[in-house]
Amino acid sequence: MATLMIQGTTSDAGKSTVVAGLCRVLARRGVSVAPFKPQNMALNSAVTVDGGEIGRSTALQALAAGVEPHSDMNPVLLKPESDRGAQVILRGRVHGHMDALDYHAYKRTARESVLAAWQALSSRFDVIVAEGAGSPAEINLREGDIANMGFAEMVDCPVVLVGDIDRGGVFAQLVGTLALLSESERSRTRGFIVNRFRGDIALLEPGLDWLTERTGKPVFGTLPYLQGLLLDAEDSIGRSGRVGAGSTLKVVVPALPRISNHNDFDPLRLHPQVDLTFVGPGRAIPPADLIILPGSKSTRSDLAWLRAQGWEEALQRHLRYGGRVLGICGGFQMLGRVVHDPDGLEGAAGSSEGLGLLDLETRMVAGKQLRSVSGRLLPEGVPVDGYEIHNGVSKGAALGRPLCELQGRPDGAISRDGQVMGTYLHGLFERPEACAALLARCGLVSNGQAVDYAVHRQRELDRLAECLEAHLDMAALGRLLAF
């Protein structure tokens, strides 16, 4: 077994993408490889083959490696519930809720879960490509670190540092990060990858030569900016989709403060006939054919935010003019009459009045429901599949008109007039048949250009792997893995 760790100079430097690309390159060469992220902070998550929960980007990396996602691949997942607290997931299961100071002290215990998960993966795969989190040079977080150099030191693996040239200052990023590491950490940092370069590489080469001379470490390659690359994001969301000349259906999504699993909308970003817009705080709510309320890690808190931003009135106006509304998971819960959280599972204990657009109420209960599911969209009967991740249990008359049938049981609801819909199913738009049927309800006349997102993912991963093969010194990286 060999482990290589990819760390970044900043958040969003491209670590997740590089790891996914390396996993696909190695898998295509017949290497038994798995991704590993010791600690992740993200609200985008996926259900694993062992019934656990990991970060969505790690699940994508598992797909790139051609293996089933497993809870060992992301042993610590932090799901923020406020600016100072998060739900802590250990090896796929909810461990509890901690504020930042409590978790900082708890990291010594979490370290044991990280090491146990890495050892378990090591017994099943020949190569592990690990991913850091944020930057290894965060001085205030170095004590007890398990996300970056703390993990690399613990398992004694080499590190490659990724810098994002597109945001500027890449040489300062790389040299400055090295300067803030300990001597042993600098030693195990074997070289660099420059990511997202645009332009003539000849103009960059003198800088790369200087970097190697200054640090004594090689640049393993410069990756070009891949225009239009769309893969499951770790956490950050874009503000819009790809608007083509043939876009005819306008879809609007509120960018909730604790939005979760916004990857649900990636198929709509790609759809050539859909104009998708995320609307953040303080922005005007544009007219739309379909408004989708997304998942939320803090349903009651985000519901209050919606009201404060004027969405309740906007939804009522939207419906009066014949528009459609869809709620997914937390967004589905918001559409009901009331949301109860008596034990404070998602924040302060209490109850909140819902939007009252569906006759149901939801209670948050301990014991998160995690499952991969498949079934059919009603009434069309076309196939759907995806996953459920939620604490809430919903009851009410609206559930007598379900939106889906999943594993032989009803799910979600449709209002009597068909304008309001809701479901607990994440991945609702990934099957092209279901996507087409839902958009047709909102008035889209299809031109036959449906997007098969599963096929798209595989193509993008192959495109990414081919980019890495062309622009990285794979022989040198292979030597770090001793194969």
Side-chain angles (χ1 to χ4, degrees):
M1 185 281 306
T3 298
L4 172 66
M5 190 170 201
I6 305 299
Q7 297 185 15
T9 56
T10 62
S11 294
D12 199 31
K15 300 182 293 293
S16 298
T17 305
V18 170
V19 170
L22 288 174
C23 285
R24 177 52 64 100
V25 168
L26 294 172
R28 296 203 311 187
R29 294 184 178 188
V31 176
S32 169
V33 58
F36 185 73
K37 180 136 184 168
Q39 175 186 295
N40 193 2
M41 178 175 284
L43 288 174
N44 285 345
S45 57
V47 175
T48 61
V49 67
D50 57 321
E53 181 180 5
I54 63 173
R56 188 76 198 171
S57 59
T58 307
L60 176 75
Q61 292 160 359
L63 180 68
V67 298
E68 293 281 3
H70 193 281
S71 58
D72 285 338
M73 295 174 181
N74 178 201
V76 179
L77 175 61
L78 307 176
K79 305 189 77 171
E81 296 173 321
S82 68
D83 290 342
R84 300 184 62 177
Q87 184 181 66
V88 179
I89 312 289
L90 287 184
R91 297 188 78 176
R93 300 293 188 272
V94 175
H95 177 74
H97 306 261
M98 297 185 188
D99 65 27
L101 287 176
D102 288 340
Y103 177 71
H104 188 65
Y106 181 75
K107 281 193 293 186
R108 295 174 182 84
T109 302
R111 179 187 184 97
E112 298 172 6
S113 291
V114 168
L115 185 57
W118 174 78
Q119 289 171 333
L121 278 185
S122 300
S123 70
R124 305 198 297 272
F125 296 93
D126 294 331
V127 170
I128 292 175
V129 184
E131 179 189 351
S135 161
E138 302 292 350
I139 303 302
N140 56 310
L141 299 177
R142 289 173 61 82
E143 182 182 356
D145 172 56
I146 58 174
N148 289 297
M149 286 297 179
F151 169 77
E153 298 263 81
M154 181 167 58
V155 304
D156 192 23
C157 72
V159 172
V160 173
L161 192 61
V162 178
D164 178 9
I165 196 170
D166 191 55
R167 68 176 67 198
V170 72
F171 298 109
Q173 291 175 38
L174 295 167
V175 174
T177 297
L178 276 186
L180 294 174
L181 301 179
S182 70
E183 184 175 347
S184 65
E185 292 166 350
R186 282 194 295 272
S187 177
R188 75 174 56 258
T189 304
R190 304 300 174 82
F192 312 109
I193 293 173
V194 175
N195 193 30
R196 299 190 182 117
F197 176 70
R198 314 185 202 214
D200 189 334
I201 191 67
L203 297 176
L204 181 63
E205 285 171 347
L208 302 180
D209 293 341
W210 173 90
L211 180 62
T212 295
E213 182 178 354
R214 170 74 181 239
T215 64
K217 300 180 186 297
V219 177
F220 291 114
T222 298
L223 297 175
Y225 192 103
L226 285 179
Q227 295 288 348
L229 184 72
L230 180 60
L231 287 167
D232 304 52
E234 182 173 71
D235 210 33
S236 59
I237 63 174
R239 292 304 182 201
S240 63
R242 299 178 182 175
V243 181
S247 298
T248 58
L249 192 82
K250 295 186 180 298
V251 180
V252 169
V253 181
L256 304 174
R258 300 297 167 196
I259 188 173
S260 66
N261 296 82
H262 58 73
N263 304 105
D264 286 335
F265 307 109
D266 287 349
L268 299 182
R269 291 176 187 266
L270 290 169
H271 200 293
Q273 293 179 271
V274 172
D275 176 359
L276 174 71
T277 302
F278 288 92
V279 179
R283 293 180 58 196
I285 302 168
D289 300 294
L290 171 64
I291 293 177
I292 307 179
L293 302 187
S296 167
K297 187 64 191 73
S298 300
T299 302
R300 293 174 55 236
S301 157
D302 279 350
L303 179 56
W305 180 89
L306 278 179
R307 284 199 165 97
Q309 295 290 320
W311 280 91
E312 188 165 26
E313 295 82 358
L315 285 166
Q316 293 289 351
R317 183 171 59 251
H318 171 75
L319 290 169
R320 284 198 301 273
Y321 283 94
R324 298 294 194 274
V325 174
L326 170 66
I328 299 176
C329 200
F332 173 41
Q333 296 167 352
M334 294 178 192
L335 293 174
R337 291 181 285 102
V338 64
V339 179
H340 302 288
D341 189 1
D343 301 316
L345 297 176
E346 290 191 351
S351 298
S352 296
E353 182 181 350
L355 297 169
L357 300 179
L358 289 173
D359 185 11
L360 59 87
E361 63 179 57
T362 300
R363 179 175 295 270
M364 302 298 175
V365 297
K368 185 181 292 189
Q369 298 183 56
L370 295 165
R371 53 196 170 208
S372 296
V373 292
S374 60
R376 58 196 182 101
L377 182 71
L378 301 175
E380 293 89 347
V382 297
V384 293
D385 50 40
Y387 57 97
E388 293 182 50
I389 301 180
H390 58 94
N391 285 104
V393 174
S394 299
K395 297 180 179 180
L399 302 179
R401 297 177 298 278
L403 180 63
C404 302
E405 180 184 87
L406 303 176
Q407 312 296 115
R409 58 179 172 79
D411 168 81
I414 309 173
S415 64
R416 292 188 182 280
D417 59 11
Q419 284 186 263
V420 183
M421 302 167 281
T423 179
Y424 275 113
L425 178 67
H426 293 287
L428 184 64
F429 295 105
E430 292 201 14
R431 293 289 292 259
E433 308 96 317
C435 184
L438 285 164
L439 297 182
R441 295 185 193 186
C442 303
L444 182 67
V445 179
S446 175
N447 61 9
Q449 300 183 53
V451 175
D452 188 325
Y453 197 66
V455 171
H456 164 83
R457 273 197 187 102
Q458 296 290 357
R459 286 176 178 165
E460 291 285 79
L461 288 169
D462 283 334
R463 176 187 172 205
L464 179 60
E466 287 156 12
C467 176
L468 267 62
E469 292 266 28
H471 295 280
L472 295 186
D473 187 345
M474 292 304 302
L477 292 172
R479 288 192 290 273
L480 293 182
L481 289 166
F483 72 85

